[in-house]
Amino acid sequence: MMSAVPLQRAAEVADTSERRITLLGATGSIGTSAIDLLKRQPERYRIEAVTAGRNAEALAQLARELGARFAAVADPACYGALKDALAGSGIETGAGESAVIEAACRPADWVIAAITGAAGLKPTLAAAERGTIVALANKECLVCAGTAFMRRAAAAGATVLPVDSEHNAIFQALGAGPREAVLRIILTASGGPFRSWSLEAIRNATLEQALKHPNWSMGPKITIDSATMMNKGLEIIEAHHLFDLAADQIDVLVHPQSIVHGMVEFTDGSVVAQLGPPDMRVPIAHCLAWPHRIDGANRLRLAQMTNLTFEEPDFVRFPALRLACEALRAGGGAPTVLNAANEVAVAEFLNGALRFCSIAELVEATLGASGSRGLLREPADMEEALAIDADARRLARELLPEIAAKTI
Ligand code: NAD
Ligand code: MG
């Protein structure tokens, strides 16, 4: 089968050539971690393009610091600020979704897809369709349109490298044996801030409590997804597409220390794991240098750890995880609807318009109502996935007042 994720270590290639880099989502948490690595070895990398959603000032500063050729901001209202901030720099500027796509289309050997949410889909696809290396952080794009995305990436000869720490771990561990000998993979989950909380306490969790992740420092959307454990659900669907594995070959274990990121169990009884500190610079460094290795950030000090523990996930206290597993098994448009409804619900929770427990309730209600709207059909292509995504967002917004008004 043709695969966009390289199945084996690429043949040795000289490690001397300069890599041209584009950063989609340069101002975010992943973008910042990637830039920290790039700045350590500036002679190895040349920056082609950088993009951001709205923060024109931060983007302009990055573009200058990195010597980028092109900077694009997604929100057209921010164009003036970007243009002013880069006046006289010689750096080209653009605004709007089309400018972000243009950034993705410019000649770069390596593009990091670190835009948050389904907004990252079109630019990420545009980069993949150039047949380049795409370091993929944006899991929502695979949940929304995984089959179409991976098909088009493979057809274009793109190399998709997983940035998400669990998937990067699996990618590394898969190299230990032939594909036919893979029994299953295990994605670990920290369990988030509410791992040991009662169902009652979780239902009433505040925004401030949900934003306090015990191990990882990340953007707000994925931090809330970690608190609901929808993040792990999205990651199961992400793994299904990246590694072409069936739902029953993908397991989750809660591992509160976030040191073991993923494991592959082979038929002979061997379980191969990747370990590392909970620092996204580790998987990003792996993707940045692949198939070589560069110096990373922090090192793992295992002797300083008293114990590493593993437990089964709780689908009752974390209904979002159950919903994602059900959506993967249902197939068709269900994962697309799940992702769209979750993006709407998380945005409303961040705005203070929904309670924590209502995030999963809104997703469940949207999935429940989506069949009668014809949204559960298998999206035949990217365009259809995007149409289902848009309709599912509309449906979630329609259902929102009723879910928000529900008392516990
Ligand atoms: P973030 O919110 O910190 O950054 C998101 C970036 O996307 C910013 O540069 C922002 O300006 C840009 N952006 C936002 N909306 C946009 C739009 N409509 N169009 C174009 N650009 C837009 O998010 P993050 O935590 O860096 O996460 C980015 C992606 O990586 C997400 O898909 C997330 O699930 C994934 N990821 C993140 C981590 C992590 O540790 N942060 C780990 C694994 C996977
Ligand atoms: Mg992850």
Side-chain angles (χ1 to χ4, degrees):
M1 203 201 98
M2 195 161 54
S3 171
V5 177
L7 298 178
Q8 279 160 343
R9 197 178 152 79
E12 287 299 330
V13 285
D15 188 21
T16 49
S17 59
E18 185 186 65
R19 263 191 173 170
R20 281 173 306 171
I21 305 278
T22 284
L23 301 149
L24 304 175
T27 54
S29 166
I30 292 286
T32 304
S33 292
I35 290 167
D36 179 70
L37 291 165
L38 295 169
K39 281 185 177 166
R40 291 165 193 234
Q41 287 178 292
E43 70 288 352
R44 291 175 69 112
Y45 307 108
R46 188 152 57 74
I47 311 300
E48 180 64 33
V50 288
T51 79
R54 329 178 61 146
N55 194 341
E57 285 76 18
L59 181 69
Q61 197 183 330
L62 283 179
R64 281 183 189 269
E65 267 173 37
L66 297 168
R69 296 181 170 196
F70 182 58
V73 66
D75 185 344
C78 303
Y79 185 53
L82 182 66
K83 221 170 140 54
D84 290 350
L86 287 176
S89 67
I91 300 169
E92 292 172 66
T93 54
E97 190 188 42
S98 60
V100 176
I101 293 172
E102 184 191 335
C105 289
R106 290 178 70 116
D109 313 302
W110 191 94
V111 178
I112 189 161
I115 293 172
T116 194
L121 208 160
K122 283 190 199 164
T124 305
L125 182 70
E129 292 207 310
R130 282 193 21 260
T132 190
I133 299 178
V134 176
L136 186 72
N138 178 255
K139 65 193 83 182
E140 295 92 342
C141 99
L142 286 184
V143 181
C144 174
T147 305
F149 179 87
M150 292 305 285
R151 198 191 302 131
R152 280 169 69 168
T159 301
V160 176
L161 301 178
V163 169
D164 208 348
S165 54
E166 299 77 2
H167 305 74
N168 184 268
I170 300 298
F171 176 49
Q172 296 196 47
L174 279 174
R179 196 41 218 267
E180 318 81 75
V182 173
L183 209 54
R184 64 169 181 150
I185 65 167
I186 301 159
L187 308 173
T188 60
S190 71
F194 308 140
R195 180 180 59 87
S196 56
W197 288 31
S198 70
L199 179 59
E200 198 47 39
I202 295 175
R203 290 182 69 85
N204 295 304
T206 65
L207 174 58
E208 198 192 331
Q209 290 166 329
L211 282 172
K212 257 193 211 120
H213 196 280
N215 304 345
W216 298 95
S217 154
M218 309 180 286
K221 197 267 178 175
I222 183 174
T223 302
I224 300 306
D225 284 345
S226 300
T228 59
M229 288 195 73
M230 178 61 90
N231 182 51
K232 212 47 54 182
L234 301 179
E235 289 185 356
I236 292 174
I237 301 171
E238 179 185 13
H240 161 75
H241 291 294
L242 282 173
F243 307 120
D244 193 24
L245 291 167
D248 60 7
Q249 286 182 292
I250 309 168
D251 284 337
V252 168
L253 279 179
V254 175
H255 166 51
Q257 298 81 16
S258 298
I259 298 299
V260 178
H261 302 295
M263 299 174 249
V264 177
E265 183 176 352
F266 291 95
T267 46
D268 61 4
S270 282
V271 177
V272 179
Q274 185 264 359
L275 284 69
D279 180 339
M280 286 308 293
R281 288 175 299 184
V282 177
I284 297 170
H286 176 254
C287 294
L288 195 54
W290 185 88
H292 305 282
R293 297 268 180 180
I294 51 172
D295 291 345
N298 299 319
R299 293 183 57 195
L300 185 60
R301 311 275 176 205
L302 270 180
Q304 290 170 8
M305 276 151 213
T306 46
N307 62 348
L308 298 180
T309 59
F310 301 91
E311 58 198 67
E312 295 287 352
D314 183 338
F315 292 88
V316 176
R317 287 184 304 128
F318 297 98
L321 183 57
R322 169 180 58 82
L323 292 170
C325 292
E326 288 171 1
L328 175 58
R329 283 174 202 279
T336 313
V337 173
L338 171 99
N339 182 66
N342 183 57
E343 286 196 31
V344 171
V346 171
E348 294 299 333
F349 176 68
L350 287 169
N351 285 336
L354 265 190
R355 288 195 315 276
F356 185 77
C357 60
S358 304
I359 298 174
E361 287 170 3
L362 182 60
V363 174
E364 187 152 27
T366 309
L367 278 163
S370 57
S372 59
R373 300 278 182 104
L375 302 183
L376 295 179
R377 64 188 187 274
E378 175 78 44
D381 53 28
M382 188 66 65
E383 289 64 35
E384 200 173 350
L386 285 168
I388 294 174
D389 172 81
D391 286 346
R393 282 167 201 268
R394 216 167 294 129
L395 177 57
R397 284 194 199 96
E398 277 174 37
L399 295 167
L400 182 72
E402 189 189 326
I403 299 291
K406 259 173 78 173
T407 48
I408 295 173

